[in-house]
Amino acid sequence: MRVLVVEDERVLAGAIAEWLRGETHAVDTAHDGEAALERIAVNDYDVVVLDRDLPLVHGDDVCRELVESESTARVLMLTAAAEIGDRVAGLSLGADDYLAKPFAFAELAARVQALGRRSRPAAPPVLRRAGITLDPARREVFRNGRYVPLSKKEFAVLTELLRADGALVPAERLLEKAWDEHADPFTGVVRLTILKLRRKLGEPPVVETMPGEGYRIA
């Protein structure tokens, strides 16, 4: 998934981002509401982890903007206030979930994962196609019963290809969902990752390349 972490405490933002990257998500960060709105305008996020008390543009206003723009991104709002009234206020703005500080990173990651599932069409808990079995919860992949060890990026790319259920997936979408905003689209990282993925999945080749269009698992 593509996740935006909006938190003005830079150390905390970095820690959240690293934890979520460890869960195979592509993560961008912003440290004020204005920067958050700029990133939201140009990137298609599945989940936005949004601190409520932000400089320049308040988190409430960022949330309102997301809702009014009819974005499909789900919002997990963070706040130091734990009173019921604050939680109700945050949810009434259109936030999908609410987490008070301090929090456990494992809980935040679980909530992000749950919100990400809601931002997309329903998919089976285990993805299967062409002899491949991918279990997102266990982060395990098998090909015809053989365990296939994958890197985080390879796992993320394979997940997108399997979710497409045989449809073509443009390289741009793979780049958007598996890498963050610092990825250079001209480095060929998608092509190289596909090559490694093909090699690890073994024979017969299962990932098809449609020149100039993208990739698919037939």
Side-chain angles (χ1 to χ4, degrees):
M1 291 189 298
R2 186 77 178 269
V3 181
L4 175 63
V5 175
V6 190
E7 168 60 62
D8 62 325
E9 296 181 29
R10 292 176 180 265
V11 173
L12 178 57
I16 294 172
E18 284 306 304
W19 187 282
L20 293 176
R21 288 177 185 129
E23 299 286 314
T24 74
H25 304 310
V27 185
D28 299 333
T29 58
H31 304 299
D32 60 68
E34 188 174 280
L37 290 174
E38 291 174 356
R39 284 165 174 75
I40 290 166
V42 298
N43 296 309
D44 180 20
Y45 293 107
D46 296 291
V47 179
V48 176
V49 179
L50 179 66
D51 183 37
R52 192 175 183 191
D53 189 16
L54 291 171
L56 299 186
V57 178
H58 196 273
D60 289 358
D61 296 318
V62 174
C63 188
R64 286 193 191 95
E65 181 71 22
L66 269 168
V67 173
E68 291 173 3
S69 69
E70 298 183 351
S71 169
T72 59
R74 301 293 181 173
V75 177
L76 172 58
M77 188 168 278
L78 304 178
T79 180
E83 296 298 324
I84 292 177
D86 294 296
R87 294 201 297 271
V88 171
L91 294 170
S92 68
L93 292 168
D96 298 279
D97 200 358
Y98 190 104
L99 190 59
K101 300 177 182 178
F103 52 79
F105 286 144
E107 180 181 4
L108 182 144
R111 290 178 182 238
V112 166
Q113 187 69 35
L115 289 176
R117 287 195 296 268
R118 290 165 54 188
S119 74
R120 300 177 171 200
V126 175
L127 302 172
R128 294 185 175 88
R129 190 173 186 85
I132 300 170
T133 300
L134 183 148
D135 186 333
R138 295 178 179 273
R139 297 191 192 86
E140 291 180 342
V141 174
F142 292 85
R143 173 89 191 273
N144 296 325
R146 175 181 62 87
Y147 175 69
V148 182
L150 298 180
S151 70
K152 294 174 183 176
K153 296 303 183 189
E154 292 161 358
F155 188 92
V157 167
L158 182 59
T159 299
E160 289 298 318
L161 292 174
L162 290 173
R163 286 187 64 93
D165 198 25
L168 190 71
V169 182
E172 292 80 8
R173 178 167 179 81
L174 294 176
L175 186 68
E176 181 178 82
K177 293 299 182 182
W179 283 268
D180 60 27
E181 64 185 350
H182 300 295
D184 185 344
F186 301 106
T187 59
V189 290
V190 173
R191 182 178 59 83
L192 291 174
T193 301
I194 289 289
L195 288 173
K196 293 176 182 178
L197 190 55
R198 280 200 189 100
R199 185 171 65 249
K200 290 185 178 182
L201 289 172
E203 299 292 335
V206 69
V207 181
E208 295 184 0
T209 298
M210 309 298 287
E213 298 182 53
Y215 307 91
R216 71 180 181 186
I217 295 179

